[in-house]
Amino acid sequence: MTLLELIEAQAARLSEAGVSFGHGTTNAFDEAAWLVMWKLGVPLDALDDHAQDAVSGEDTEAVLALVQERITTRKPAAYLTREAWLQGVPFYVDERAIVPRSFIAELLADATIDAWLSDQTVRVLDLCTGNGSLAVLAAMAWPEVQVDAIDLSADALAVARINVDRHGLADRIRLLQGDGLSPAEGAYDLILCNPPYVNSASMQALPLEYQAEPALALAGGNDGMDFIRQMLDKAPDHLSEHGVLVLEIGNEREYFEAAFPALEVAWLDTSAGEDQVLLITRDALVAAR
C-alpha cells in the first residue's frame, strides 16, 4: 500500500465513524494525512513527494492503531500527536490546555493589527493564553515588545512554559497565573484575548472532541459573556492611553451585541468572516462605562 492509499483508507474510516473536526483540520482527508504522516515520521508538508512511497505492514498496523484511538477516544488529533500548528508555527499541546486555533493568529500573521499600533507599542498582554501560542506569535511578530501571558489554569501555564522555552522566548514572555486581569501589572498597549465564550446551550451540544478539552477554556455562562463582562469592565485600567483590545468571540456575535449595545467596536476580517474577532479602543471602553 502506498502512503496516499493508506491516507485515503484512513480518511474513509474517520468519515464512517462520524468524528468531528475543527482542531487543526476541517475534513477527513486532512485529518488522516496528519495522523498517518505524523506516525510515519513524514514531514506534514511533503505529501506530494512521498505519496507513492510504499508503507510496510508493520507501519500500516501502527497507523491503524492510531486512527482507531482517534475514533474510540474522540480526542482531537493534536492530543494524540502532542503537537498543533498555528500559522505554520509548531506548538506542544496536551489535555491540560485547549488546542490552539484562534483566528487572532491570522491577524498577527497578516499584520492587520499593526495599523492600530505605533512605535510606542512596547507591552502586549495575551489574556487566557492557554498553551501560550498567541503570546509566542505576538513576540515573533513584534521583536521589540515584551509580552505578559495570563491564565487561570496553572496546568495550562505549564504547557505554555514548554512552548515559550521551545521557541527561545523566555526573556520576552512572562507567564502569570490568576483570574482574568487580576495578575496584570500596569498598562498594556495591546491586549489579545481569546476567552471562554461558548454559551450554555452550545456547551451542551459540543461534539466529544471539544468535550475532551478543558471546560474552563470554553464555557462562558448562559450567554457566553460571563468572563467578557468582567474583563471589559476592568480593561480600561490596564490599557495605555492609545491602547487597544483584540477579542475573539467565535459564533457569539448576537450575544455580544445584546450584552454590550453601546460599545463601539471594529470587526476584523478573518478566514471565518467578519464576526469572529473584534477590536475595541480604550476610549470606546471608557465611553461605554
Side-chain angles (χ1 to χ4, degrees), residues 102 104 124-138 146-151 157 160 173-176 188 190-194 246:
S102 175
I104 293 175
V124 174
L125 170 63
D126 177 21
L127 183 59
C128 305
T129 193
N131 83 329
S133 53
L134 291 183
V136 167
L137 292 176
Q146 294 293 128
V147 182
D148 282 354
I150 294 175
D151 206 284
L157 287 176
I173 298 177
R174 180 172 60 160
L175 303 178
L176 304 171
Y188 298 91
L190 170 66
I191 297 177
L192 307 172
C193 185
N194 181 22
V246 175

Side-chain angles (χ1 to χ4, degrees), residues 39-55:
K39 190 63 178 179
L40 299 180
V42 178
L44 298 183
D45 59 356
L47 176 55
D48 289 344
D49 295 332
H50 297 275
Q52 300 308 315
D53 289 1
V55 182

Side-chain angles (χ1 to χ4, degrees), residues 140-216:
M140 289 178 169
W142 303 301
E144 69 280 4
V145 307
Q146 294 293 128
V147 182
D148 282 354
I150 294 175
D151 206 284
L152 175 60
S153 169
D155 282 343
L157 287 176
V159 178
R161 168 56 59 196
I162 293 171
N163 286 311
V164 170
D165 292 346
R166 175 179 185 174
H167 292 287
L169 292 167
D171 60 333
R172 294 181 49 223
I173 298 177
R174 180 172 60 160
L175 303 178
L176 304 171
Q177 192 271 330
D179 189 6
L181 285 163
S182 298
E185 300 177 3
Y188 298 91
D189 305 300
L190 170 66
I191 297 177
L192 307 172
C193 185
N194 181 22
Y197 54 67
V198 182
N199 69 71
S200 296
S202 294
M203 282 295 296
Q204 295 297 319
L206 285 177
L208 292 174
E209 283 81 355
Y210 292 85
Q211 294 180 37
E213 297 181 294
L216 182 68

Side-chain angles (χ1 to χ4, degrees), residues 61-278:
E61 289 301 318
V63 165
L64 295 179
L66 176 62
V67 173
Q68 187 59 48
E69 183 179 6
R70 171 72 176 88
I71 291 170
T72 302
T73 67
R74 286 306 203 263
K75 288 183 179 180
Y79 286 161
L80 302 179
T81 65
R82 294 294 194 246
E83 189 166 70
W85 293 74
L86 206 56
Q87 294 301 308
V89 179
F91 294 98
Y92 174 84
V93 68
D94 61 34
E95 289 86 348
R96 293 174 292 176
I98 192 172
V99 177
R101 53 186 177 272
S102 175
F103 291 110
I104 293 175
E106 296 179 7
L107 305 176
L108 294 173
D110 66 15
T112 294
I113 300 173
D114 290 39
W116 298 85
L117 309 179
S118 72
D119 56 5
Q120 297 180 2
T121 299
V122 294
R123 299 194 74 215
V124 174
L125 170 63
D126 177 21
L127 183 59
C128 305
T129 193
N131 83 329
S133 53
L134 291 183
V136 167
L137 292 176
M140 289 178 169
W142 303 301
E144 69 280 4
V145 307
Q146 294 293 128
V147 182
D148 282 354
I150 294 175
D151 206 284
L152 175 60
S153 169
D155 282 343
L157 287 176
V159 178
R161 168 56 59 196
I162 293 171
N163 286 311
V164 170
D165 292 346
R166 175 179 185 174
H167 292 287
L169 292 167
D171 60 333
R172 294 181 49 223
I173 298 177
R174 180 172 60 160
L175 303 178
L176 304 171
Q177 192 271 330
D179 189 6
L181 285 163
S182 298
E185 300 177 3
Y188 298 91
D189 305 300
L190 170 66
I191 297 177
L192 307 172
C193 185
N194 181 22
Y197 54 67
V198 182
N199 69 71
S200 296
S202 294
M203 282 295 296
Q204 295 297 319
L206 285 177
L208 292 174
E209 283 81 355
Y210 292 85
Q211 294 180 37
E213 297 181 294
L216 182 68
L218 297 172
N222 188 52
D223 65 351
M225 297 295 120
D226 284 2
F227 178 92
I228 294 172
R229 284 189 182 87
Q230 299 178 35
M231 185 269 292
L232 292 185
D233 181 60
K234 298 177 181 178
D237 301 328
H238 294 284
L239 281 168
S240 59
E241 181 181 359
H242 301 292
V244 296
L245 165 68
V246 175
L247 175 66
E248 184 161 339
I249 60 163
N251 297 313
E252 308 292 346
R253 178 169 180 170
E254 180 180 352
Y255 285 113
F256 179 87
E257 292 181 332
F260 311 103
L263 184 59
E264 181 181 353
V265 308
W267 294 94
L268 304 179
D269 190 24
T270 72
S271 61
E274 297 181 350
D275 56 2
Q276 301 276 323
V277 181
L278 56 101

